[in-house]
Amino acid sequence: MNIVLFGPPGSGKGTQAKMLAEKYSIPHISTGDILRDNLKRETKLGLEAKSYMDKGELVPDDVLIGIIKDRLSQSDCASGFLLDGYPRTLPQADALSTILNEIGKKLDIVLNIDVPPDDELIKRLAGRRMCACGASYHVLFNPPEQEGLCNLCGNKLYHRDDDKEEAIINRLDVYKHQTQPLINYYTKEGVMLTVNGAAGISEVFDEICRLLDDLKTGDS
Ligand code: ADP
Ligand code: ADP
Ligand code: ZN
């Protein structure tokens, strides 16, 4: 299955993607994780992306399109993929469709994780804590077993620079203006389904699994 997880910052894309990738054995491709990995390794790409990410702005489309083109052509995507955080602009969506065409694939579903009020998203992002291994937690909604430490690897959790108030407000604004229009784009293509992202983590997961299982049954 070729899946896009769509939704505003803090809607739960990363959280759900981790669980879905495991259940359906498909790679989780998070453009945010790829960019943060480049930042950490101080690659040319990471250095180029840094100033945008710190401010909560989008990194230029040509950079992201290059990343996705490379990643989708890798062999682990042969039996499906789960995109998290891409596409975020109309040019990125157009490029994705061109790339998929070129490699003889198409999107099966774009899942819109709908969480309406900004207040809830701000609470989620401000309380998010990350681990270098990719796991993420929330100080109230999904706390680790031991405060400040990752359940999976024991590493110390950190608070992302762009999960601080000013960058959060900017990211939500960027989402509304540049990313939200894609809901219309994918609705017109007939691949968009919406899930209630305001429910708890496991309820959202169950709803997504039901939709994906229906889709698989429909295929056969
Ligand atoms: P995104 O990848 O869409 O930005 P995350 O999956 O990182 O979002 O989730 C943002 C924060 O909200 C994290 O701290 C996560 O633990 C928490 N979270 C995710 N889903 C839910 C949910 N359904 N209810 C409450 N908190 C959630
Ligand atoms: P979140 O899920 O919390 O919004 P991500 O981890 O997906 O955050 O992205 C973090 C930052 O990385 C974004 O604010 C942006 O600067 C950059 N980024 C990630 N994906 C893209 C993309 N598809 N287009 C442009 N910038 C991106
Ligand atoms: Zn960890």
Side-chain angles (χ1 to χ4, degrees):
M1 270 182 302
N2 304 330
I3 305 167
V4 168
L5 277 188
F6 186 86
S11 56
K13 300 180 297 297
T15 303
Q16 297 298 329
K18 286 255 152 9
M19 299 191 287
L20 292 166
E22 193 172 332
K23 171 162 177 173
Y24 294 97
S25 302
I26 44 177
H28 167 204
I29 303 174
S30 156
T31 44
D33 286 350
I34 294 172
L35 291 168
R36 278 185 292 280
D37 175 61
N38 276 276
L39 248 170
K40 207 168 88 190
R41 292 188 289 116
E42 298 184 343
T43 64
K44 186 166 165 271
L45 194 136
L47 296 174
E48 188 182 347
K50 183 174 167 34
S51 60
Y52 299 98
M53 294 175 76
D54 283 349
K55 283 184 281 190
E57 304 281 344
L58 294 182
V59 175
D61 284 335
D62 56 337
V63 175
L64 268 295
I65 292 167
I67 291 177
I68 281 298
K69 194 166 181 175
D70 283 354
R71 187 60 190 90
L72 289 181
S73 62
Q74 287 172 24
S75 59
D76 64 338
C77 295
S79 56
F81 55 79
L82 187 54
L83 284 178
D84 159 13
Y86 184 100
R88 271 172 143 107
T89 64
L90 288 167
Q92 289 183 21
D94 281 335
L96 178 61
S97 115
T98 307
I99 293 165
L100 290 176
N101 253 325
E102 278 167 13
I103 53 180
K105 291 185 181 164
K106 65 174 185 51
L107 288 181
D108 293 305
I109 187 169
V110 178
L111 283 164
N112 177 22
I113 309 184
D114 186 32
V115 184
D118 275 0
D119 287 357
E120 172 69 15
L121 295 171
I122 293 170
K123 258 191 257 166
R124 287 191 187 182
L125 294 170
R128 172 161 64 183
R129 296 294 179 272
M130 305 285 292
C131 176
C133 80
S136 89
Y137 301 87
H138 190 281
V139 291
L140 299 175
F141 307 141
N142 183 24
E145 282 153 21
Q146 269 188 287
E147 198 184 324
L149 300 179
C150 178
N151 292 349
L152 304 177
C153 69
N155 272 332
K156 202 163 168 268
L157 302 180
Y158 69 95
H159 192 192
R160 271 169 50 178
D161 281 341
D162 62 346
D163 277 347
K164 297 182 182 153
E165 184 91 16
E166 207 179 282
I168 292 178
I169 306 280
N170 197 26
R171 282 157 67 207
L172 292 173
D173 203 52
V174 164
Y175 171 79
K176 274 178 214 147
H177 290 101
Q178 295 183 253
T179 308
Q180 208 166 27
L182 293 180
I183 295 181
N184 233 335
Y185 178 101
Y186 283 120
T187 302
K188 278 194 197 134
E189 293 214 340
V191 289
M192 178 68 108
L193 286 178
T194 297
V195 298
N196 173 20
I201 292 176
S202 57
E203 280 91 353
V204 178
F205 183 62
D206 290 346
E207 189 182 349
I208 294 178
C209 291
R210 262 199 309 278
L211 290 175
L212 295 183
D213 291 339
D214 283 354
L215 200 76
K216 276 170 96 176
T217 326
D219 277 354
S220 56

